[in-house]
Amino acid sequence: MAIDDPVQPARAETDSASPAAGERATTWSALRPLVLRMHFYAGLLIAPLLLVAATSGLLYALSFQAEKFLYSNELTVPAGDRTLPLGDQLKAAREAHPEGTVTAVWPSAEDGATTRVLMTSPEVEEGKSLAVFVDPYTAEVRGELASYGGSGALPLRTWLDELHRDLHLGDLGRHYSELAASWLWVVALGGLLLWLGRRRAARRELFVPDRAAKGRRRTLSWHGAAGLWVVLALVLLSATGLTWSRYAGENVDAVQEQLGGATPVVSAALTEGGGAGGDAHEGHGGGGGGSHEGMAGTDVGIDNALAAARTAGVEGKLAVTLPTEGNGYVVKETDTQFPVHLDSAAVDPADGRVIDTLRFADYPLFAKLTRFGIDAHTGVFLGLPNQLALAAVAFVLIMLIVWGYRMWWLRRPTKERRLSAGRPMPRGAWRKVPVTALLPLAALTALVGWFVPLLGISLLAFLAVDLLLGLVARVRARTAS
């Protein structure tokens, strides 16, 4: 929001003369320089990281539709009259890639869509799967691509996702995204306070940019009004981004566990003497029964397992995880668009019996909210509207950063000094804050800094640099005098 926003001359109605209103004004007038200085430095120093995150996030949001065009040959086929058994499609994928080990199958979810068979394979790097696309009407293999994550991101989206998450630098690069997410909500809420605390002639200027303003005031008007419209989305993006961050994410998981909000998982464990044994990934063929290569018992086949899960009420867009040592089939609903369908069932491969079910309705509330938040952050919650909203928020964030830097440049002390730039509020603003407000604020800052470690560490670094600069300035002043 507003970077280094000086107090304007009074142009609006005066505050209420009541003591309560006067007390609030006094507290805010004391806190405002401190918030302004923090917002100035945070906006100035963290904005490059936010700019990278916003730009990569914008491209990621648009990649969903780009993938449909770029990989149309693999994703779509002419619709036929009748689909073949899933076992036949699985067999075709295995024959095309005998070196791979099948881990899961995503049956065709709509007319004209291919079936996706996921394999571990030497052809793809660790952590990714080889997705083999099969025509469900003819069992023709349409192609194969590297796939990543539960959303099945293909190479374009995977590349942009990794750029957004870690700049393709691995664990080292994850510090950038966690630092950006740690500060985004601070900058957003600080800017909101500064924008709401300004005096203005008309309430309309709170929501709509003042087109009559000129220069820096006009830029500030656009910066503040646009920020007001997206502040909630920015805070939510920051919060959901932290849930899978490296350090803050561990604390979030711990809190979630303590509150009993951990995401439950369907139990696919087989009782002793069950049908699965050995390597259940090998030899899965047709829809009927029969013994599979590397298995100690028989297997009813993927089609019968799928039918059993559907009988148990698990239907729609599905993903089938094949049996492993000591575990049966797991059939999960994967439709994350509202209303969400994420029920799942485990099936014994020996006799096709459903051994466990899990309904999304039975998830703890916190687990549901986490699921909604992460899916919204990754653009899969509401499909295309979700992706367009993400793209719009990312674009506005880019513009907020551009406007912020423009205001910083326009506020330079003298325009004759071309290399000079805007200066922050003077040091020592915290001394004017009442102790009754300063102590709780310091305690809250310490708590948040502990819970979000990179925020706390970077804040301490900012304070150390600021103190050093202040010391240098005092030494120079004494030397000059």
Side-chain angles (χ1 to χ4, degrees):
M1 313 317 174
I3 290 182
D4 198 16
D5 168 24
V7 179
Q8 294 185 40
R11 302 189 294 141
E13 318 140 356
T14 59
D15 293 334
S16 168
S18 67
E23 184 178 341
R24 286 196 299 270
T26 301
T27 303
W28 171 241
S29 63
L31 281 173
R32 186 179 180 281
L34 184 63
V35 175
L36 193 52
R37 187 170 179 83
M38 179 202 67
H39 188 70
F40 175 88
Y41 274 123
L44 189 65
L45 301 175
I46 300 298
L49 302 181
L50 293 175
L51 183 60
V52 173
T55 304
S56 58
L58 171 62
L59 295 174
Y60 175 83
L62 300 176
S63 68
F64 287 84
Q65 304 307 313
E67 279 192 339
K68 292 180 180 180
F69 174 78
L70 190 62
Y71 306 121
S72 59
N73 181 69
E74 289 83 4
L75 295 172
T76 59
V77 293
D81 297 328
R82 184 178 65 87
T83 59
L84 296 173
L86 200 56
D88 293 345
Q89 302 174 49
L90 181 55
K91 180 180 178 181
R94 278 205 174 96
E95 290 176 349
H97 291 274
E99 80 290 349
T101 301
V102 177
T103 57
V105 180
W106 296 5
S108 172
E110 56 189 17
D111 292 341
T114 54
T115 292
R116 193 177 305 195
V117 179
L118 302 179
M119 301 179 171
T120 58
S121 171
E123 297 181 26
V124 294
E125 60 186 282
E126 187 178 356
K128 295 183 175 66
S129 299
L130 179 68
V132 181
F133 299 87
V134 182
D135 187 331
Y137 308 103
T138 65
E140 173 195 0
V141 174
R142 301 280 295 184
E144 51 281 317
L145 295 166
S147 177
Y148 177 77
S151 64
L154 298 178
L156 173 63
R157 185 149 51 103
T158 298
W159 191 90
L160 290 171
D161 176 63
E162 291 174 350
L163 176 67
H164 181 70
R165 186 174 66 249
D166 59 23
L167 300 176
H168 295 279
L169 297 175
D171 288 340
L172 177 64
R174 290 182 66 184
H175 292 134
Y176 121 81
S177 59
E178 183 166 356
L179 197 58
S182 299
W183 277 97
L184 177 57
W185 67 274
V186 178
V187 176
L189 293 181
L192 176 66
L193 290 175
L194 292 171
W195 185 243
L196 294 177
R198 289 173 58 85
R199 292 190 291 268
R200 46 183 54 85
R203 187 175 295 274
R204 179 177 178 275
E205 294 178 6
L206 183 67
F207 305 97
V208 181
D210 183 3
R211 296 184 179 180
K214 301 294 182 182
R216 182 181 175 279
R217 290 174 63 86
R218 181 183 179 90
T219 304
L220 173 61
S221 177
W222 279 94
H223 182 83
L228 181 67
W229 284 104
V230 299
V231 63
L232 178 60
L234 295 180
V235 172
L236 291 176
L237 284 175
S238 175
T240 52
L242 288 174
T243 58
W244 64 77
S245 62
R246 187 173 184 180
Y247 301 110
E250 294 179 358
N251 291 331
V252 172
D253 290 341
V255 170
Q256 188 174 3
E257 188 73 30
Q258 290 294 323
L259 295 176
T263 301
V265 180
V266 67
S267 174
L270 299 172
T271 57
E272 188 175 350
D279 185 0
H281 288 238
E282 296 294 338
H284 288 276
S291 179
H292 290 311
E293 229 178 287
M295 290 188 63
T298 59
D299 189 323
V300 297
I302 190 171
D303 287 286
N304 289 327
L306 192 60
R310 283 176 169 154
T311 301
V314 179
E315 51 191 358
K317 189 177 179 182
L318 302 174
V320 184
T321 302
L322 271 60
T324 58
E325 180 75 32
N327 293 289
Y329 287 96
V330 175
V331 183
K332 295 181 179 180
E333 295 178 346
T334 60
D335 187 0
T336 55
Q337 297 190 39
F338 192 82
V340 173
H341 295 287
L342 292 176
D343 295 349
S344 56
V347 179
D348 191 329
D351 53 16
R353 177 175 53 90
V354 174
I355 54 180
D356 189 30
T357 57
L358 175 63
R359 307 296 177 187
F360 184 68
D362 297 330
Y363 278 34
L365 177 60
F366 199 75
K368 288 181 180 178
L369 295 177
T370 301
R371 180 77 268 163
F372 292 151
I374 291 176
D375 288 345
H377 188 117
T378 54
V380 299
F381 180 41
L382 299 174
L384 181 59
N386 190 171
Q387 295 148 26
L388 293 176
L390 282 177
V393 171
F395 177 75
V396 173
L397 178 56
I398 292 171
M399 294 308 301
L400 289 174
I401 295 168
V402 172
W403 287 325
Y405 274 114
R406 175 172 167 78
M407 286 188 294
W408 171 63
W409 180 252
L410 290 175
R411 198 174 177 269
R412 59 193 189 276
T414 168
K415 293 185 179 180
E416 285 74 24
R417 295 170 54 192
R418 294 183 178 275
L419 296 180
S420 63
R423 294 173 296 187
M425 290 290 293
R427 293 181 181 86
W430 62 272
R431 297 189 184 95
K432 299 179 181 179
V433 180
V435 175
T436 53
L438 185 61
L439 291 180
L441 182 62
L444 179 62
T445 302
L447 177 62
V448 172
W450 169 82
F451 191 80
V452 187
L454 289 192
L455 174 63
I457 293 171
S458 57
L459 180 59
L460 289 176
F462 288 169
L463 291 175
V465 171
D466 195 41
L467 290 173
L468 180 60
L469 292 176
L471 179 62
V472 171
R474 283 195 294 271
V475 170
R476 286 179 177 175
R478 290 173 183 173
T479 303
S481 63

